[in-house]
Short mmCIF file of all heavy atoms in Angstrom, two decimals:
data_model
loop_
_atom_site.label_atom_id
_atom_site.label_comp_id
_atom_site.label_asym_id
_atom_site.label_seq_id
_atom_site.Cartn_x
_atom_site.Cartn_y
_atom_site.Cartn_z
N HIS A 22 9.69 3.04 5.60
CA HIS A 22 11.11 2.58 5.36
C HIS A 22 11.62 1.83 6.58
O HIS A 22 12.21 0.89 6.64
CB HIS A 22 11.99 3.65 4.90
CG HIS A 22 11.60 4.03 3.46
ND1 HIS A 22 12.08 5.40 3.01
CD2 HIS A 22 10.89 3.63 2.46
CE1 HIS A 22 11.57 5.42 1.76
NE2 HIS A 22 10.94 4.37 1.49
N VAL A 23 11.28 2.52 7.88
CA VAL A 23 11.75 1.96 9.06
C VAL A 23 11.00 0.60 9.40
O VAL A 23 11.52 -0.41 9.83
CB VAL A 23 11.63 2.97 10.25
CG1 VAL A 23 11.90 2.34 11.66
CG2 VAL A 23 12.52 4.13 10.00
N ASN A 24 9.75 0.65 9.09
CA ASN A 24 8.93 -0.56 9.20
C ASN A 24 9.45 -1.65 8.24
O ASN A 24 9.46 -2.85 8.80
CB ASN A 24 7.43 -0.27 8.79
CG ASN A 24 6.53 -1.33 9.15
OD1 ASN A 24 6.17 -1.49 10.32
ND2 ASN A 24 5.99 -2.12 8.15
N MET A 25 9.84 -1.34 7.07
CA MET A 25 10.47 -2.38 6.24
C MET A 25 11.78 -3.03 6.85
O MET A 25 12.02 -4.12 6.79
CB MET A 25 10.87 -1.77 4.95
CG MET A 25 9.64 -1.76 3.93
SD MET A 25 10.18 -1.37 2.23
CE MET A 25 11.07 0.13 2.37
N LEU A 26 12.52 -2.18 7.40
CA LEU A 26 13.73 -2.53 8.06
C LEU A 26 13.50 -3.42 9.32
O LEU A 26 14.21 -4.45 9.46
CB LEU A 26 14.60 -1.27 8.44
CG LEU A 26 15.88 -1.59 9.10
CD1 LEU A 26 16.91 -2.39 8.18
CD2 LEU A 26 16.53 -0.28 9.49
N ILE A 27 12.72 -3.00 10.14
CA ILE A 27 12.40 -3.70 11.38
C ILE A 27 11.74 -5.07 11.18
O ILE A 27 12.11 -6.01 11.75
CB ILE A 27 11.57 -2.86 12.37
CG1 ILE A 27 12.39 -1.56 12.83
CG2 ILE A 27 11.23 -3.64 13.59
CD1 ILE A 27 11.62 -0.61 13.60
N TYR A 28 10.74 -5.00 10.27
CA TYR A 28 9.95 -6.27 10.02
C TYR A 28 10.41 -6.95 8.75
O TYR A 28 9.48 -7.54 8.07
CB TYR A 28 8.46 -5.83 9.95
CG TYR A 28 7.98 -5.42 11.34
CD1 TYR A 28 7.38 -4.22 11.49
CD2 TYR A 28 8.04 -6.22 12.44
CE1 TYR A 28 6.86 -3.71 12.57
CE2 TYR A 28 7.55 -5.73 13.75
CZ TYR A 28 6.91 -4.51 13.73
OH TYR A 28 6.57 -4.07 15.03
N TYR A 29 11.62 -6.77 8.30
CA TYR A 29 12.09 -7.49 7.09
C TYR A 29 11.88 -9.05 7.22
O TYR A 29 11.37 -9.68 6.37
CB TYR A 29 13.50 -7.17 6.84
CG TYR A 29 14.09 -7.94 5.68
CD1 TYR A 29 13.92 -7.51 4.30
CD2 TYR A 29 14.93 -9.05 5.81
CE1 TYR A 29 14.40 -8.12 3.28
CE2 TYR A 29 15.46 -9.75 4.78
CZ TYR A 29 15.25 -9.30 3.49
OH TYR A 29 15.73 -10.03 2.42
N ARG A 30 12.32 -9.66 8.38
CA ARG A 30 12.09 -11.00 8.58
C ARG A 30 10.69 -11.49 8.69
O ARG A 30 10.31 -12.48 8.24
CB ARG A 30 12.98 -11.41 9.74
CG ARG A 30 14.50 -11.28 9.53
CD ARG A 30 15.29 -11.85 10.67
NE ARG A 30 16.74 -11.68 10.51
CZ ARG A 30 17.53 -12.57 9.85
NH1 ARG A 30 16.93 -13.59 9.29
NH2 ARG A 30 18.78 -12.36 9.78
N ARG A 31 9.90 -10.61 9.28
CA ARG A 31 8.47 -10.99 9.49
C ARG A 31 7.72 -10.99 8.12
O ARG A 31 6.89 -11.93 7.98
CB ARG A 31 7.76 -9.81 10.28
CG ARG A 31 6.24 -9.97 10.49
CD ARG A 31 5.66 -9.15 11.49
NE ARG A 31 5.88 -9.78 12.90
CZ ARG A 31 5.49 -9.35 14.00
NH1 ARG A 31 4.90 -8.08 14.02
NH2 ARG A 31 5.64 -10.00 15.12
N LEU A 32 8.10 -10.13 7.20
CA LEU A 32 7.47 -10.26 5.96
C LEU A 32 7.88 -11.57 5.21
O LEU A 32 7.10 -12.13 4.52
CB LEU A 32 7.93 -8.97 5.11
CG LEU A 32 7.28 -8.95 3.61
CD1 LEU A 32 5.75 -8.91 3.57
CD2 LEU A 32 7.90 -7.76 2.83
N GLY A 33 9.14 -11.89 5.43
CA GLY A 33 9.55 -13.20 4.91
C GLY A 33 8.76 -14.33 5.48
O GLY A 33 8.39 -15.32 4.81
N GLN A 34 8.51 -14.28 6.79
CA GLN A 34 7.66 -15.24 7.47
C GLN A 34 6.20 -15.31 6.87
O GLN A 34 5.55 -16.41 6.74
CB GLN A 34 7.57 -15.11 8.90
CG GLN A 34 8.87 -15.36 9.72
CD GLN A 34 9.31 -16.83 9.59
OE1 GLN A 34 8.41 -17.71 9.66
NE2 GLN A 34 10.61 -17.09 9.56
N ILE A 35 5.73 -14.12 6.66
CA ILE A 35 4.33 -13.97 6.02
C ILE A 35 4.28 -14.66 4.61
O ILE A 35 3.43 -15.46 4.32
CB ILE A 35 4.06 -12.54 5.81
CG1 ILE A 35 3.72 -11.96 7.27
CG2 ILE A 35 2.65 -12.39 4.91
CD1 ILE A 35 3.41 -10.44 7.23
N TYR A 36 5.35 -14.50 3.90
CA TYR A 36 5.53 -15.18 2.48
C TYR A 36 5.53 -16.70 2.67
O TYR A 36 4.86 -17.41 1.94
CB TYR A 36 6.70 -14.75 1.84
CG TYR A 36 6.69 -13.36 1.22
CD1 TYR A 36 7.82 -12.55 1.13
CD2 TYR A 36 5.45 -12.77 0.69
CE1 TYR A 36 7.71 -11.20 0.48
CE2 TYR A 36 5.36 -11.46 0.13
CZ TYR A 36 6.61 -10.76 0.06
OH TYR A 36 6.44 -9.51 -0.39
N MET A 37 6.29 -17.19 3.56
CA MET A 37 6.35 -18.54 3.87
C MET A 37 4.99 -19.13 4.28
O MET A 37 4.74 -20.25 3.93
CB MET A 37 7.55 -18.87 4.89
CG MET A 37 8.89 -18.51 4.35
SD MET A 37 10.28 -18.76 5.65
CE MET A 37 10.04 -20.46 6.07
N THR A 38 4.36 -18.44 5.19
CA THR A 38 3.16 -18.92 5.75
C THR A 38 2.06 -19.06 4.57
O THR A 38 1.32 -20.03 4.52
CB THR A 38 2.54 -17.96 6.81
OG1 THR A 38 3.57 -17.80 7.92
CG2 THR A 38 1.26 -18.44 7.35
N ILE A 39 1.97 -17.97 3.78
CA ILE A 39 1.16 -18.03 2.63
C ILE A 39 1.40 -19.28 1.59
O ILE A 39 0.53 -19.99 1.25
CB ILE A 39 1.09 -16.73 1.74
CG1 ILE A 39 0.64 -15.66 2.64
CG2 ILE A 39 0.33 -16.94 0.53
CD1 ILE A 39 0.66 -14.29 2.04
N ALA A 40 2.73 -19.45 1.26
CA ALA A 40 3.15 -20.58 0.48
C ALA A 40 2.79 -21.88 1.12
O ALA A 40 2.25 -22.86 0.44
CB ALA A 40 4.55 -20.37 0.15
N ALA A 41 3.07 -22.05 2.42
CA ALA A 41 2.84 -23.29 3.16
C ALA A 41 1.32 -23.53 3.15
O ALA A 41 0.79 -24.69 3.01
CB ALA A 41 3.42 -23.18 4.47
N LEU A 42 0.52 -22.51 3.54
CA LEU A 42 -0.97 -22.66 3.48
C LEU A 42 -1.47 -23.12 2.09
O LEU A 42 -2.27 -24.03 2.11
CB LEU A 42 -1.58 -21.41 3.96
CG LEU A 42 -1.73 -21.19 5.45
CD1 LEU A 42 -2.25 -19.67 5.68
CD2 LEU A 42 -2.83 -22.16 5.95
N GLU A 43 -1.03 -22.51 1.08
CA GLU A 43 -1.43 -22.92 -0.33
C GLU A 43 -1.09 -24.34 -0.59
O GLU A 43 -2.00 -25.09 -1.10
CB GLU A 43 -0.79 -22.05 -1.29
CG GLU A 43 -1.31 -22.42 -2.68
CD GLU A 43 -0.53 -21.61 -3.78
OE1 GLU A 43 0.47 -20.87 -3.48
OE2 GLU A 43 -0.97 -21.71 -4.91
N LEU A 44 0.12 -24.82 -0.18
CA LEU A 44 0.46 -26.28 -0.51
C LEU A 44 -0.44 -27.15 0.31
O LEU A 44 -0.96 -28.22 -0.10
CB LEU A 44 1.86 -26.53 -0.11
CG LEU A 44 2.95 -25.77 -1.08
CD1 LEU A 44 4.39 -25.95 -0.45
CD2 LEU A 44 2.87 -26.30 -2.35
N ASP A 45 -0.64 -26.87 1.65
CA ASP A 45 -1.56 -27.76 2.39
C ASP A 45 -2.99 -27.74 1.94
O ASP A 45 -3.61 -28.76 2.04
CB ASP A 45 -1.47 -27.25 3.95
CG ASP A 45 -0.10 -27.56 4.51
OD1 ASP A 45 0.60 -28.36 3.95
OD2 ASP A 45 0.24 -26.86 5.60
N LEU A 46 -3.50 -26.49 1.50
CA LEU A 46 -4.76 -26.45 0.96
C LEU A 46 -4.91 -27.30 -0.36
O LEU A 46 -5.93 -27.96 -0.44
CB LEU A 46 -5.13 -25.04 0.63
CG LEU A 46 -5.64 -24.21 1.89
CD1 LEU A 46 -5.66 -22.72 1.45
CD2 LEU A 46 -7.00 -24.68 2.22
N ASP A 47 -3.97 -27.22 -1.27
CA ASP A 47 -3.96 -27.96 -2.39
C ASP A 47 -3.94 -29.47 -2.07
O ASP A 47 -4.64 -30.31 -2.70
CB ASP A 47 -2.77 -27.64 -3.35
CG ASP A 47 -2.97 -26.20 -3.96
OD1 ASP A 47 -4.08 -25.74 -3.89
OD2 ASP A 47 -2.02 -25.81 -4.48
N ASP A 48 -3.18 -29.89 -1.11
CA ASP A 48 -3.03 -31.36 -0.77
C ASP A 48 -4.34 -31.84 -0.12
O ASP A 48 -4.85 -32.93 -0.48
CB ASP A 48 -1.94 -31.49 0.36
CG ASP A 48 -1.82 -32.90 0.75
OD1 ASP A 48 -1.60 -33.80 -0.13
OD2 ASP A 48 -1.76 -33.21 1.90
N ALA A 49 -5.05 -31.01 0.59
CA ALA A 49 -6.33 -31.34 1.13
C ALA A 49 -7.52 -31.30 0.16
O ALA A 49 -8.39 -32.08 0.28
CB ALA A 49 -6.73 -30.28 2.36
N SER A 50 -7.38 -30.46 -0.85
CA SER A 50 -8.35 -30.37 -1.94
C SER A 50 -8.30 -31.46 -2.92
O SER A 50 -9.24 -31.68 -3.56
CB SER A 50 -8.21 -29.02 -2.62
OG SER A 50 -8.45 -27.96 -1.68
N GLN A 51 -7.01 -32.05 -3.05
CA GLN A 51 -6.94 -33.14 -4.01
C GLN A 51 -7.89 -34.38 -3.78
O GLN A 51 -8.43 -35.05 -4.69
CB GLN A 51 -5.51 -33.61 -4.03
CG GLN A 51 -4.69 -32.69 -4.88
CD GLN A 51 -3.16 -33.03 -4.89
OE1 GLN A 51 -2.83 -34.13 -4.30
NE2 GLN A 51 -2.37 -32.32 -5.49
N CYS A 52 -8.05 -34.56 -2.45
CA CYS A 52 -8.94 -35.72 -2.08
C CYS A 52 -10.43 -35.35 -1.96
O CYS A 52 -11.27 -36.17 -2.25
CB CYS A 52 -8.55 -36.37 -0.66
SG CYS A 52 -6.81 -36.79 -0.73
N PHE A 53 -10.67 -34.15 -1.44
CA PHE A 53 -12.04 -33.66 -1.27
C PHE A 53 -12.16 -32.23 -1.90
O PHE A 53 -11.65 -31.31 -1.34
CB PHE A 53 -12.41 -33.64 0.27
CG PHE A 53 -12.31 -35.08 0.80
CD1 PHE A 53 -11.19 -35.39 1.61
CD2 PHE A 53 -13.29 -35.92 0.64
CE1 PHE A 53 -11.18 -36.61 2.21
CE2 PHE A 53 -13.27 -37.20 1.29
CZ PHE A 53 -12.15 -37.50 2.03
N GLY A 54 -12.84 -32.07 -2.98
CA GLY A 54 -13.17 -30.89 -3.49
C GLY A 54 -12.58 -30.56 -4.83
O GLY A 54 -13.10 -29.73 -5.64
#
């Protein structure tokens, strides 16, 4: 519970990183693969 409180914003950054990576991967895969 303390880890959730301290790293609440970091988990949000992890979500944003995963979503951004997926979008960039899909964009790169449309041309090749």
Side-chain angles (χ1 to χ4, degrees):
H22 292 160
V23 172
N24 192 72
M25 280 194 300
L26 178 64
I27 296 176
Y28 294 122
Y29 175 81
R30 295 185 181 274
R31 171 167 280 176
L32 183 59
Q34 290 295 327
I35 290 173
Y36 286 147
M37 292 176 61
T38 302
I39 292 174
L42 272 170
E43 182 188 5
L44 291 175
D45 292 342
L46 277 169
D47 290 345
D48 184 52
S50 300
Q51 286 177 356
C52 300
F53 299 100

